[in-house]
Each structure stands twice: as C-alpha cells, then as structure tokens.
C-alpha cells in the first residue's frame, strides 16, 4: 500500500509559480466547475474513477499476547478505487488541445494537472458519501484461535478492537531517532462475521492520526483487544502488501490512460468528490487558478 | 505565489534551525557588575554579597541579569530581607520565570532535541523582546507545554505534572508534520472540541496556518476523577516523545516516569558485548514455541520478563506500561489496569494496582520517594547542580515541600531564601561521612557476605580489611569498581545482572565521600588528601 501512496504523493508534488491573466472560476450548484481565461480558453474540472480493485494481502502475526496460536492462511481482502480529478480543455485556440488534460508550465517544463487519490474502506468508515456503497474489507483466515477467546476455525460473530494502531518506521522529531511509531488508526473498530472464514471490518467509533486510516502508510497493524478478565491484550500483524500495491498502482495509470471515456464533470457541491480526501492542491486550484500558467 | 514562497522559506528556515547547535546557556546581556560585587566572609561562612545574590536570583529565576536600577534600589534598601522577598515575588511573576521553568521541564522530560522545535524559550526571550502583535509563546501549542506554563504561571502544585485533569489546547493548531494534534488526541473523549485542521495530503509538508495566526486557548471539559487523564503524561506530546509499539509495551514511557518522578535512572542492566548479543536477544526475545513459522519479532510472554537480569527493571516497568495500552495518537477511550511497583531503599515493596494512568500516577505523587526526587530537582536547579544536600538537610527540604502543598513557586521562593542559595558555591559542600554512604555500601555487603566473607571484607566495618593498608586498598578497589572518577560510567560492580544497581545520586554520594577523605561516622578522615584526590579525579 505504501508504494501506491508514494506514487500518488509524487504526482501531487508540483509547484506552480508562473503567473497568468486572472481567470474567472465559475462554481454554481449542480453545474460543472469551469475556469474561463477569455472567450477562447475555457477549462473544466472532471473526475475519472477507476474500476474497483479487489486484492488479497497476506499477513503474519508477529507478536501475540492474546493467544499462543499462529494464524494460518490469513489474508486481508481489500478494496481500492482510484479517483482522478483533472482539469481539461473545453475550448482552446488550438483545437487539438480541446478534450486534453490541461498542462501547467513552470520553468519551461509542463506538468499534467491531475490530483489522484484513492478510496478505501477508510472513507466508508468515515462516512464519506462517495464511499457509501464501498465494499467491506475482510480478515480471512482458516483459523481464528489467534484472537482472544476460544475461537477455532470459525470467526467470532462480533468482536471489537479497542485500539487499532497503524505503526510505521519514522523519525521521532524530538530525538531524531528513527523508530517504529503509531501514525494512525481507529478506536473501537467493530469486526463482524461476514462469511464462514471472514471477519468484516465494519465500522469504528473514530479514526485518528493525520490520515485517519486503518490501513494506509503503515508497516505493522497493532491491535489492542479486551480479554474476558477485563484486561487487554495485543496482536501485531505484519502484512505483505507489495503485490497488492503494485497491482493497485497500475490501475492509476490505466485510469489516466483511459481518462476521457470514463470522466464526468465535477459538479459543484455534488457528491462526486470525496469529502475526506479532498486534495489540498485541487482545493488550491479552485481558489487560486491565477497562480499557474495553463498550456 | 507569495504564500508558496513563504512556505518554502519557512521550510528552509526549519532546516537551517535544525542544523544549529543548541547554546549551552542563555547569554545574559553584557553588564558590568557594580562596585561591591564581591563575596563576603560572614559568621555563616563565605557568602555572596548582596549584589551577587541579586544577580544570582535574577539569573536563576529569569535567566537575565538585573538592570542597573535594581542594583541602585538594592543600595538604598533599608531591609535586605524585605528587598529580596519583594524581588523574588516580582521575578516569580515575570514571563521570563515561566520561560525558564518551561525550559527546565523540557530538559527534564528530554524534549526539543531535534529538528524544527524551539530550543529554549528563555533564550528566545533574551534574543528579542516579544513582539506585542503576536500571541505570547507562539510555539506553545501543545497541551503539555501549556500545562508546564500554567504550573509556573499559576503556582500550581508540582503534582499537576502527574494529576492534572484539565488542559488548555490551542485552536486552530498549526498543522506541521512533526507535531501531533491535541485536538485530534482529545476529541474522542471531548467531541465538543473543534475538528483539527484537515490534513489532505498523505504527508503534511507545510504549515497550513501561519505562524502569526491568532489562536484561542480552549479548556478541556474533563472530570476530576477521569482515570484516563494524568497531567503531562496523558498528552499527545509526551506519548509521541516516548513513543511505543506493541513490542515495547510502553516500557519506555514507564522508564521515563521512573526517571523523572522517582529519580530512578533505570539504566539498562544488560549491556551486551558484541559476542553476547545473540544470547541477550534470545533472553529478551525468545524464539517462538511454534515450529512451523519463523517470526522474527515474536515474543514469548511466558519467558520474557522472567530472566533475573531483565526483571531488575521489568518488575517495575511492565505493571506501569500496562496502564498505557490504550493510548496512541489518540487518548484511551477506556482506562486499563496498571500498577505502581518498585522497591524502597529499605527493601520493602510498593505495589499499588490502579485503574488507568490517572489512578496509578495519583499513587505515585503520594510517595515519599517522589517528593524527595522532586526536591532534588529543585535543589539542582536553584542551589547546586552537581551535588545534593546532606540526607538530613534533604529531609528538611522535603518536609517544607510537603508543608507548602507542593506549590511550585512557593517552594522556589522558599529555596532561594535559604542560606545555601546565598552561600558561595565553594562553601556549601556538604559534609559526608560513613553514615551517609552506609546504605549504598550495605547493598554491596549483601552480596559479598557469606561465601566471600573471607576474601572481601564488610565495607561498613572500619578499617576495611582490618588495617590501614588494607583499608586504603579496599577503598581504591571500591572507587575503581564503581568507576567513581567517571561517575559510574564504566563501573564493573555490581555485576550487570545484579538486581540492584546504584543510582547516579548514590555514586555521586560515594564519590563525594571519598573526595572528603572517606570519613568515618565520627567525621574523622581515614585516607589522606592526596589519595582521596587520586581516587576521584
């Protein structure tokens, strides 16, 4: 997953410093957002959405104080969807540019203006309207005896993870030492049996951390669960998401390549855009389109 | 455009700040001492002159020297006692005193040691007068910093560091990648707090709010019996500074608490040599019982923490660490059981189970060792950093600390009114004799007695070994084995796997005792000055 996110971050890391004539941004409820420089140059915000991608991320339990059992044949069944907001030319003095994605020019280099982000179960749990029908991610195992309680091969009907931490190797800013640290996670994450070998990750009281995520950008998932005697125990899960990230990342390029056929206008104040993953740069472009030189 | 450039400039500035070395002490403004700035011999020994005392008072409380007018006022003062009392009160109310105390607490908590964080608040105030158009303390946007401030500003009980239940939080918060968010931290149990600034990029690379933005200080609405809250410890900054993972189980956090509040250095008992590393790892992280899967960081709880060498710390760390289990970058929604466990100097064990960090640390603030440790911090800050007072004097000060209800500024005012504050540094060396170091030496005897009695004599029966020659040799051996020259840095005894390890303070005490000639209980020296010097320097 981390690699996928790195790809997306890199594509966001533009600096647009050139100046341009002041354009007019039209934002009317229920209508496409447009940028008009003059009567000959008009651009429109659009969003393309990739197909839902489902993949399996195998995981191992690297520490377990809840049980002495090692889970066998476990994986996370995960879903992601690439969303790709862009600005494209609706009207341009050079007709060949029309229907193409707008480029921003900086230091004689042109950059494609696109703001990719991905939708995961995080957005569903955060009740982002764009993900209201998003499928539930699952923990799939042949054996659930690694969880607290006396479970065998059947998952518990319902269990709650008190604290779900996403841990990552990052530098402690107060010491300068690189260490594994919690960077996000969720409180009271509810898991429910959704199949004979599956626990669905249904909902959470809250997600925390800068990204509000249960899965993004972490190396280890560290779960704190209650035990029958009123104490808590901990389980660390190390997931190998490399293959999944590569496959999901490839979808980004597919969406980009097939942008035009699947794109739809971005309607102002519609549900066509994530409320939780609103890219800052896109927001900035909506407010300050004059700060870049459109090509 | 301008905003973008400002952001870049800010980032460059952060980078350059990170590379600069922190200054050792705030440089006081250049000021020549007035005539009469000397030490004086009085019936109480060598004491500072009134001018020198005023200068010391100002430096210790505010980090700057007095101005010339203050020296003039001193000259015309009719009653020096009243003058210094008034000056102490005045300084204790100054923002610079607050800044100094926050700096001291930052050092005590080992904060601000890396990139992007303000080095010293007092130094910053010395460099430039605060800009009246800005909020005071622009950098103090974490609830922990703000609690530190309140303790000094409002003369709160020092125990607030462990027991305070209500916090001030800043809103809006500067959203900078190296900071954790107070609002995000507390909101799960205080939904009335505003949402933190959105962080839309996966990695926040610039502050969304300007450094000059005005902010409000909001009060958290928590109840006084909320077991999830424990002063500076249940803050996002403490938890981020002493981060943890499932594997660590908050032992690092517990160790910081023992160091700060019980002066227990919790030094690693097992310091492996390269050839011993594999054995140590096997002891600390035993291979799993499961044969089918190799798990590199697996931890067998049944074995871990039972090794005698490990247990010297684990018996204390693990019970307290448990109380942290539900804290992350957000606060615990429910308190977890933990306990305050440690052995007293007399061998008895404190074992106080509690619900949540709040209760466990409430117990800690009631312990006599806690009060002694905190008074020791104050002594080092205001009287003498390299040496503690004699045991009896320390007890007196602890009694006063208790009488004053642990009120921070009241105790500081008391301490700077004491003769030790006005004494010349060379004249306040405390006298140390065998009675003072006996508790430490008896710990050595505990292991050496019995089978080795014939070879190693008791260290509290003078002369050691029965004659003067043996006595000198055994003292030299003690000094060498404890490495008192280097303050115990490379000590060979007690063995690393011993459950008891002397604290820094105990080693310093032995060092001072040897320096003064290893006095017997009748205060007579037992070794000459040259030998004493050769053993400690």
């Amino acid at each position: 997953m981390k690699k996928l996110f790195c790809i997306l971050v890199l594509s966001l890391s533009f600096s647009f410093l050139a100046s341009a004539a002041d354009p007019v941004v039209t934002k009317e409820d229920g209508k496409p957002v447009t940028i008009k420089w003059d009567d000959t140059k008009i651009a429109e915000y659009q969003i393309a959405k990739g197909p839902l991608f489902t993949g399996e991320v195998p995981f191992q339990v690297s520490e377990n104080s809840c049980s002495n059992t090692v889970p066998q044949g476990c994986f996370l069944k995960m879903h992601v969807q690439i969303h790709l907001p862009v600005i494209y030319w609706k009207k341009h003095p050079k007709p060949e540019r029309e229907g193409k994605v707008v480029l921003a020019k900086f230091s004689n280099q042109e950059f494609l203006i696109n703001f990719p982000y991905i939708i995961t179960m995080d957005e569903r749990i955060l009740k982002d309207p764009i993900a209201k029908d998003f499928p539930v991610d699952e923990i799939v195992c042949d054996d659930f005896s690694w969880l607290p309680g006396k479970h065998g091969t059947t998952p518990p009907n319902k269990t709650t993870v008190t604290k779900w931490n996403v841990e990552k190797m990052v530098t402690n800013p107060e010491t300068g030492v690189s260490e594994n640290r919690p960077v996000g996670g969720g409180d009271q994450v509810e898991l429910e049996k959704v199949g004979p070998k599956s626990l669905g990750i249904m909902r959470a009281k809250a997600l925390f951390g800068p990204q509000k995520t249960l899965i993004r950008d972490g190396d280890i998932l560290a779960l704190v669960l209650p035990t029958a005697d009123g104490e808590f125990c901990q389980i660390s899960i190390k997931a190998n998401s490399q293959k999944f990230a590569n496959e999901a990342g490839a979808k980004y390029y597919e969406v980009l390549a097939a942008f035009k056929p699947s794109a739809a206008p971005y309607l102002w104040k519609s549900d066509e855009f994530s409320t939780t993953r609103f890219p800052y740069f896109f927001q900035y472009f909506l407010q300050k389109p004059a700060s870049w030189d459109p090509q | 455009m301008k905003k973008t450039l400002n952001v870049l400039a800010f980032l460059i500035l952060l980078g350059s700040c990170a590379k600069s070395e922190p200054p050792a002490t705030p440089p006081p403004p250049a000021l020549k001492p007035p005539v009469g700035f000397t030490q004086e011999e009085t019936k109480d020994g060598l004491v500072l002159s009134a001018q020198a005392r005023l200068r010391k008072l100002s430096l210790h409380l505010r980090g700057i020297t007095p101005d010339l007018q203050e020296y003039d006022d001193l000259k015309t003062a009719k009653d020096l006692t009243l003058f210094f009392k008034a000056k102490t009160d005045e300084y204790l109310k100054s923002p610079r005193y607050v800044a100094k105390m926050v700096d001291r607490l930052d050092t005590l908590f080992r904060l601000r040691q890396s990139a992007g964080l303000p080095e010293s608040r007092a130094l910053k105030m010395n460099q430039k007068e605060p800009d009246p158009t800005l909020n005071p303390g622009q950098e103090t946007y974490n609830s922990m910093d703000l609690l530190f401030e309140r303790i000094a500003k409002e003369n709160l009980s020092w125990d607030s560091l462990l027991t305070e239940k209500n916090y001030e939080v800043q809103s809006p918060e500067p959203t900078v990648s190296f900071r954790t968010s107070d609002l995000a931290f507390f909101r799960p149990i205080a939904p009335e707090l505003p949402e933190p600034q959105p962080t839309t990029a996966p990695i926040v690379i610039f502050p969304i709010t300007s450094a000059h933005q005005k902010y409000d200080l909001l009060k958290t609405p928590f109840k006084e019996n909320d077991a999830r809250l424990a002063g500076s410890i249940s803050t996002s900054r403490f938890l981020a500074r002493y981060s943890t993972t499932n594997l660590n189980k908050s032992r690092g956090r517990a160790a910081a608490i023992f160091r700060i509040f019980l002066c227990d250095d919790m030094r690693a008992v097992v310091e492996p040599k390269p050839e011993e590393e594999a054995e140590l790892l096997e002891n600390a992280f035993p291979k799993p019982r499961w044969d089918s899967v190799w798990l590199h960081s697996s931890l067998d709880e049944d074995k871990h923490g039972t090794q005698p060498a490990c247990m010297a710390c684990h018996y204390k760390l693990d019970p307290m660490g448990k109380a942290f289990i539900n804290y992350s970058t957000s606060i615990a929604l429910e308190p977890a059981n933990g306990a305050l466990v440690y052995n007293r100097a007399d061998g008895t064990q404190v074992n106080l189970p509690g619900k949540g960090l709040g209760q466990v640390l409430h117990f800690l603030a009631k312990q006599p060792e806690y009060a002694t440790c905190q008074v020791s911090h104050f002594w080092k800050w205001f009287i003498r950093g390299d040496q503690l007072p004699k045991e009896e004097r320390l007890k007196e000060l602890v009694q006063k600390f208790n009488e004053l209800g642990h009120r921070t500024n009241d105790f500081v005012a008391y301490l700077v009114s004491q003769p030790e504050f006005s004494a010349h540094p060379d004249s306040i060396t405390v006298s140390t004799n065998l009675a003072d170091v006996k508790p430490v030496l008896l710990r050595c005897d505990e292991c050496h007695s019995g089978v080795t009695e014939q070879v190693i004599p008791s260290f509290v029966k003078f002369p050691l070994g029965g004659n003067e020659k043996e006595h000198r040799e055994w003292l030299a051996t003690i000094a060498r084995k404890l490495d008192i020259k280097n303050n115990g840095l490379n000590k060979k005894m007690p063995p690393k796997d011993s459950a008891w390890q002397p604290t820094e303070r105990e080693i310093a005490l032995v060092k001072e005792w040897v320096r003064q000639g290893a006095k017997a209980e009748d205060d007579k020296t037992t070794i000459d000055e040259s030998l004493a010097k050769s053993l400690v320097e």
Side-chain angles (χ1 to χ4, degrees), chain A residues 63 68 163 165 173-174 210, chain B residues 114 199 237 249 289-290 328:
Chain A
E63 188 198 356
N68 284 331
K163 207 83 168 181
N165 293 301
E174 307 241 25
Chain B
S114 186
T199 54
R237 190 172 184 194
K249 292 192 167 45
R289 286 190 294 243
W290 317 303
S328 180

Side-chain angles (χ1 to χ4, degrees), chain B residues 392-435:
Chain B
E392 282 306 310
R393 178 62 173 139
L394 189 57
K395 277 183 189 165
E396 285 172 15
L397 293 172
V398 170
Q399 191 181 343
K400 191 68 185 176
F401 184 58
N402 291 335
E403 282 171 19
L404 292 170
H406 296 188
R407 296 252 163 225
T408 305
N409 299 354
D410 293 353
F411 187 65
V412 171
Y414 172 76
L415 210 49
V416 298
S417 71
Q418 293 303 291
E420 291 96 334
F421 185 80
S422 306
H424 188 275
D426 290 343
S427 69
I428 62 165
T429 299
V430 289
S431 176
T432 310
N433 68 26
L434 178 61

Side-chain angles (χ1 to χ4, degrees), chain B residues 16-241:
Chain B
S16 64
C17 289
K19 287 167 192 154
S20 64
E21 287 294 320
T25 50
L31 189 64
K32 285 186 179 176
V35 178
F37 185 78
T38 54
Q39 60 204 30
E40 295 168 354
E41 193 84 45
T42 74
K43 62 181 173 58
D44 297 324
L46 202 59
V47 298
L48 297 176
S49 67
Q51 290 90 341
R53 183 181 167 192
L54 176 62
R55 185 174 188 275
K56 183 178 177 184
L57 185 71
S58 180
L59 279 170
H60 276 63
L61 295 188
R62 304 188 303 170
I64 55 169
T65 51
D67 60 33
L68 291 173
Q69 182 60 51
E70 291 179 277
Y71 284 116
D72 288 343
D73 293 345
L74 175 63
K75 277 183 192 169
T76 57
K78 290 181 179 154
D79 184 329
L80 281 182
T81 305
L82 285 178
F83 175 84
F84 278 107
K85 187 177 181 313
K87 273 292 154 197
T88 301
D89 290 346
E90 177 192 327
Y91 290 168
L92 287 174
K93 287 180 182 135
S94 74
R96 289 183 188 278
Y97 164 73
V98 175
K100 279 287 284 181
M101 286 306 287
V102 171
D103 280 352
R104 287 181 175 120
L105 280 164
D106 282 349
T107 303
L108 184 63
F109 278 75
R110 296 183 181 165
L111 303 168
R112 295 181 175 172
Q113 300 189 4
S114 186
L117 299 167
E119 298 292 353
S120 159
R121 192 176 308 191
L123 176 63
K124 208 175 172 81
M125 292 182 88
N126 281 352
Q127 285 170 335
K128 188 183 172 186
E129 286 302 317
D131 182 343
T133 64
L134 302 181
N135 281 309
Q138 287 282 339
E139 298 83 14
T140 62
Y141 40 66
N142 187 274
S143 55
M144 184 191 212
D145 310 306
L146 293 164
L147 176 58
F148 287 175
E149 269 191 12
R150 282 171 56 212
I151 286 171
K153 201 187 286 180
E154 300 170 22
N155 190 20
L156 298 183
S157 163
W158 192 249
D159 307 351
S160 307
L161 290 170
L162 292 170
T163 59
E164 180 60 38
K165 302 289 184 187
N166 273 298
Y167 301 87
E168 288 178 338
V169 295
Q170 178 190 331
S171 177
E173 299 171 295
T175 310
V176 184
S177 61
F178 51 73
R179 279 288 191 175
T180 51
S181 163
D182 263 340
L183 295 174
F185 180 76
F186 285 122
R187 269 192 108 245
I189 59 169
E192 52 273 67
L193 289 175
E195 278 268 16
Q197 293 276 343
T199 54
T200 50
I203 300 168
V204 181
I205 53 171
F206 49 83
I208 291 175
T209 47
S210 142
H212 288 63
Q213 181 167 337
K214 293 283 182 187
Y215 60 82
D216 297 321
L217 286 182
L218 309 177
K219 305 265 186 197
T220 58
F222 305 127
K223 290 179 181 168
E224 285 305 308
N225 60 354
D226 194 324
R228 299 166 295 189
L229 301 164
S232 59
I233 307 303
S234 58
T235 61
S236 59
R237 190 172 184 194
F238 178 86
L239 296 168
R241 164 61 182 83

